[in-house]
Amino acid sequence: MSRLAHWCFLHRRAVVAFWLLVLAVTVALSQSIGSKYDESVSLPGTDSQAAVNLLTDNFPSASGESDQIVIEARGGATVRSDSVQQPVTAALTEVAAIPGIASVVSPYSPQGAAQISKDGTVAFAAVNWKMKAADVTKSDARKLIDTAKAADGPDVRISLGGQSIENEESAGPGLSVAVGAIAALVILLIVFGGALFASLMPLVTAAVALFIGTSLISLLSHVMDTPSVSSDLAVLIGLGVGIDYGLFIISRHRGSVKAGRSYEESTVLAVNTSGRTVLFAGITVCIALLGQFALGVDYLYGVSAASALTVALTMATALTFLPAMLGFLGPKTLSRRERRALAQKGPVAEDASGFWLRWGTFVERRRVLVAAGALALVVVIELPLFTLRLGTSGAATDPHDSTTHQAYSALSRGFGPGYNGPFQLVTEVNSPGDAQAFSTFLASAAKQPGVVSVTPPTTSPNGKVALAILYPATGPGAKATVSLVSDIRDLAPKAEGPGRPPVHVGGVTPANIDFSRVLSEKLPLFIAVVVVLAFLLLVAVFRSLLIPLVAAVMNLLSVAAALGAMNAVFTWGWGDSLLNIPATGPVDAFIPVLLFSVLFGLSMDYEVFLVSRMQEEWHLRRRDRKENGDGDVSRADQVLDNHWAVTHGQGKTGRIVAAAAGIMILVFGSFLISDDHVLKEFGFGLGFAVLVDALVIRGLLVPALMHLIGPANWAMPGRLERIVPNFSIEAATRREVR
């Protein structure tokens, strides 16, 4: 690491030019080639996927994207009033002529007679595309919206629902990123004593990585299935870790400059110590993110690869671009006041003092009480986790002024919430007997509790597949809807009769339910893979078994606390008005997976930064004893050395960990102002988790446990000592680190 930092410092013009060239090339390629994001989810082996396969092969018009144009009469009119029917009919005619649309079923046609509510105030037209939602471009969806809304008037309001409409209305995280960056800059200015250039460097370094990363993600979407949310989540993750990585390195650099070292020596030392923390913390984040491949769900592959790519870039720029920029900045990494103080008073060695040393001393003296109290607090926060319900948020949680939310609300008023999540009942038809068996099944399904209606079956053009639509009484995110999917699937074998083709229950809502179930079943394997890999990496880093074990358990506690808080807010509705959450519902099924991936890695940032400094203090104490001629050190002396190392390591890092956590919380929290419900969930979950992790777990629980464990923290069995490779973060010359 020291050689890398030295080379980057000396060849800073070449390093900066290289990164700027990469930035220009990737952005240019991304702009010229564009993106090819894919929102589709494939779940092999599930009932909903079997339905999709049958429709795709035999009933193309029914397998494409299906949207709704919702007509809501106002001012005492009904949907059959001339002032409503005439403009709506004209608009639907134009909609049918839009390229890519396969059919439009008007509520005024014989086929759409059931698409008018009983009171006549709400109706909907079914719009079927020739392609799936992933292939409907935003411009196509916008043309549909504008054409349909041409019928808006005093007596009618038009709104639209469907996946392609959701995709078109989704806004990027632009405002959230700007707010988060400004908030981070304020904290950096406070931490760095008003040194403007030092405060800007973490932001500049992160920005370079993010522009390159988002451009590469756009190109990545051409070679692997990548949902559009991948880019937004990558920005959220990359901005947080990128600023923190810069903070770690620059804070160590500034401390060395104040201690009297040259700018080059300070840069090399910062990369050789804090840079190693960044390297191993970044590797852990990437391991946790790429662990999603163990789930076998292709929808998450693109999300995982995009986020890991962005984290790797932020790590690379922090270790190369940042040292080069420090070479250009020289004395400007300090504020004018700090430069004056250095010139007048001379070098001042960095040492633990002030509030954070007092904090560390308090934890040492009250370690049993602190450990018990912190653990109890975390457990209380985790309690809502036991009622966590996974699902899909959908249009119910969209902003109230969005056309998708208005369509959802209108359909719920006119037909009931179940019309926002119909089921597709699909079966093969190989004989008249199969058709009769399917009709018998539909009659039985229509009588099931929780079913509003079932449409008559429609046969595919090739006559091989029959399709019917079932409308439940409850909305897509309701518990009763999940139970109804299981009830209908259980009913199918009984109604089909022996030897008949199976009836598959598909559609967006059953597919989302299957998605949640698949992730829930595979989540334990995923967690095990990530925890084991991270444990092995930390064993090699700290040359200890207990430190990685404690870190793994503490990270799991952080994740559990975050999920508990998310369930309380997004499902129970605690503080929903304060956080501007339009409606409550289940937590999106893939959020726990992403949250665990990111948070497990981010927690390692603080763990590695905190404990590596404690390890430095431990080895320095041991070295001082040897230099003073101490022979065999008693058990009591070892205990005292451990207390010293933990307390002073915390005293020296507490300020930086608190600042890094504050930046993370503000960056992630800024995504609560986004209209995207998924970004709200993710931002809140990560922000709250970092708050608990940094303040309660790393600030209280971990150091208290390390005080209680004693010298065994740093022990490594002799046989493992010889087998495990040495990736120690501490610098090669411990005297230099001091």
Side-chain angles (χ1 to χ4, degrees):
M1 294 297 291
S2 59
R3 288 195 295 271
L4 174 66
H6 186 72
W7 191 91
C8 290
F9 188 94
L10 293 179
H11 301 86
R12 47 188 174 272
R13 289 183 176 81
V15 173
V16 172
F18 167 79
W19 280 109
L20 293 180
L21 177 63
V22 172
L23 173 64
V25 170
T26 53
V27 170
L29 284 174
S30 174
Q31 292 296 320
S32 61
I33 298 176
S35 61
K36 192 179 180 182
Y37 293 119
D38 187 355
E39 314 297 333
S40 60
V41 181
S42 177
L43 298 170
T46 62
D47 195 47
S48 57
Q49 187 63 46
V52 170
N53 295 340
L54 276 179
L55 292 175
T56 302
D57 295 339
N58 301 281
F59 212 152
S61 62
S63 65
E65 162 68 356
S66 180
D67 296 328
Q68 301 84 36
I69 299 174
V70 182
I71 304 131
E72 191 175 7
R74 299 189 293 182
T78 69
V79 294
R80 293 186 178 89
S81 301
D82 289 343
S83 59
V84 175
Q85 184 170 348
Q86 288 181 2
V88 168
T89 301
L92 294 180
T93 301
E94 293 186 20
V95 166
I98 295 176
I101 289 182
S103 65
V104 177
V105 180
S106 169
Y108 304 114
S109 67
Q111 303 97 311
Q115 297 169 199
I116 299 177
S117 65
K118 292 180 180 179
D119 63 3
T121 60
V122 179
F124 68 92
V127 179
N128 297 308
W129 292 85
K130 296 177 181 177
M131 67 282 278
K132 295 181 179 180
D135 298 322
V136 179
T137 65
K138 285 198 170 188
S139 60
D140 292 336
R142 173 46 56 185
K143 189 170 185 179
L144 168 60
I145 294 171
D146 294 340
T147 304
K149 280 188 168 290
D152 265 335
D155 293 337
V156 60
R157 182 172 72 173
I158 301 295
S159 53
L160 293 92
Q163 187 60 54
S164 69
I165 309 301
E166 289 267 5
N167 295 343
E168 198 284 330
E169 287 212 320
S170 62
L175 178 60
S176 297
V177 171
V179 171
I182 292 172
L185 179 59
V186 172
I187 293 182
L188 289 169
L189 285 169
I190 295 172
V191 172
F192 292 154
L196 178 61
F197 289 100
S199 302
L200 286 172
M201 272 302 99
L203 293 169
V204 172
T205 304
V208 170
L210 289 179
F211 277 113
I212 296 173
T214 51
S215 300
L216 290 177
I217 292 169
S218 178
L219 299 174
L220 180 70
S221 66
H222 289 273
V223 297
M224 70 181 299
D225 294 341
T226 308
S228 58
V229 74
S230 300
S231 180
D232 297 341
L233 293 177
V235 169
L236 170 62
I237 298 165
L239 183 63
V241 301
I243 294 174
D244 272 10
Y245 292 165
L247 170 63
F248 291 157
I249 292 175
I250 293 177
S251 63
R252 195 65 181 260
H253 170 81
R254 282 167 41 86
S256 297
V257 171
K258 291 178 183 179
R261 293 184 175 88
S262 68
Y263 300 115
E264 180 180 348
E265 186 182 7
S266 297
T267 300
V268 172
L269 179 59
V271 175
N272 202 32
T273 52
S274 294
R276 290 173 183 251
T277 299
V278 168
L279 175 64
F280 290 107
I283 290 173
T284 307
V285 176
C286 291
I287 288 174
L289 287 167
L290 294 175
Q292 294 176 40
F293 279 82
L295 290 166
V297 178
D298 59 358
Y299 179 82
L300 295 176
Y301 293 168
V303 177
S304 170
S307 299
L309 174 64
T310 305
V311 170
L313 284 168
T314 60
M315 181 175 61
T317 53
L319 296 176
T320 56
F321 178 81
L322 182 56
M325 291 301 298
L326 290 177
F328 283 114
L329 291 178
K332 292 183 180 178
T333 54
L334 303 180
S335 65
R336 292 181 180 179
R337 179 179 56 81
E338 290 170 328
R339 293 200 294 270
R340 265 196 317 271
L342 182 62
Q344 294 171 0
K345 300 178 181 179
V348 178
E350 183 182 15
D351 198 6
S353 61
F355 171 79
W356 293 107
L357 180 59
R358 293 194 297 273
W359 179 285
T361 303
F362 167 78
V363 173
E364 177 188 344
R365 291 175 178 172
R366 301 286 188 272
R367 47 190 174 273
V368 175
L369 182 62
V370 167
L375 182 60
L377 177 59
V378 174
V379 170
V380 169
I381 296 173
E382 292 172 0
L383 289 178
L385 174 63
F386 294 100
T387 62
L388 179 65
R389 187 161 57 91
L390 302 180
T392 304
S393 49
T397 56
D398 288 346
H400 287 163
D401 59 352
S402 66
T403 191
T404 50
H405 184 86
Q406 291 169 359
Y408 181 95
S409 300
L411 285 176
S412 296
R413 287 194 300 271
F415 301 92
Y419 268 70
N420 289 286
F423 305 172
Q424 290 180 326
L425 307 178
V426 186
T427 189
E428 293 182 79
V429 179
N430 300 317
S431 67
D434 292 343
Q436 182 58 45
F438 187 51
S439 297
T440 301
F441 163 74
L442 296 180
S444 299
K447 297 176 184 178
Q448 292 294 305
V451 175
V452 174
S453 64
V454 179
T455 66
T458 303
T459 305
S460 62
N462 62 9
K464 294 182 179 180
V465 167
L467 165 69
I469 305 298
L470 181 150
Y471 291 99
T474 51
K479 285 183 180 179
T481 305
V482 178
S483 299
L484 182 60
V485 170
S486 297
D487 292 342
I488 297 299
R489 285 173 175 167
D490 291 340
L491 175 68
K494 301 174 185 176
E496 293 159 9
R500 298 299 179 187
V503 175
H504 302 291
V505 182
V508 173
T509 298
N512 288 334
I513 292 170
D514 287 342
F515 183 55
S516 302
R517 178 181 55 80
V518 169
L519 288 184
S520 299
E521 291 174 352
K522 295 185 177 183
L523 191 58
L525 172 63
F526 164 66
I527 292 175
V529 169
V530 173
V531 170
V532 169
L533 290 176
F535 174 82
L536 294 175
L537 178 63
L538 289 185
V539 167
V541 169
F542 289 116
R543 318 299 296 167
S544 165
L545 291 179
L546 287 177
I547 288 176
L549 180 61
V550 170
V553 174
M554 295 301 103
N555 290 354
L556 291 175
L557 289 178
S558 296
V559 175
L563 292 176
M566 285 182 63
N567 192 50
V569 170
F570 290 93
T571 303
W572 293 0
W574 291 8
D576 54 350
S577 57
L578 178 65
L579 299 175
N580 192 29
I581 299 170
T584 58
V587 173
D588 281 272
F590 66 93
I591 290 293
V593 176
L594 288 175
L595 193 69
F596 176 83
S597 299
V598 177
L599 185 57
F600 195 91
L602 293 183
S603 297
M604 287 299 179
D605 285 359
Y606 307 132
E607 179 73 15
V608 172
F609 188 74
L610 174 67
V611 178
S612 63
R613 199 60 184 263
M614 293 175 179
Q615 189 180 47
E616 287 180 16
E617 296 296 326
W618 166 261
H619 284 297
L620 287 170
R621 290 280 289 187
R622 307 296 291 166
R623 189 208 67 192
D624 288 345
R625 287 190 180 277
K626 289 181 180 179
E627 290 181 351
N628 293 332
D630 293 345
D632 294 333
V633 180
S634 68
R635 168 70 181 176
D637 287 338
Q638 291 182 22
V639 171
L640 290 175
D641 290 347
N642 179 74
H643 288 327
W644 170 277
V646 174
T647 299
H648 282 72
Q650 187 175 15
K652 289 183 177 181
T653 58
R655 177 168 165 268
I656 300 303
V657 169
I663 289 172
M664 287 277 196
I665 292 167
L666 290 175
V667 168
F668 295 146
S670 68
F671 280 73
L672 285 168
I673 67 177
S674 170
D675 288 336
D676 191 303
H677 190 75
V678 170
L679 291 182
K680 282 180 181 287
E681 288 179 311
F682 203 58
F684 173 83
L686 284 177
F688 187 86
V690 169
L691 175 64
V692 172
D693 190 89
L695 179 63
V696 181
I697 293 180
R698 311 300 156 183
L700 294 170
L701 188 52
V702 167
L705 289 174
M706 293 183 70
H707 282 298
L708 291 171
I709 293 171
N713 284 312
W714 319 107
M716 184 79 162
R719 183 171 297 179
L720 285 178
E721 182 77 33
R722 293 188 296 271
I723 296 174
V724 176
N726 189 350
F727 296 151
S728 178
I729 287 178
E730 57 183 309
T733 55
R734 294 185 181 121
R735 183 182 300 276
E736 181 187 50
V737 175
R738 190 173 191 180

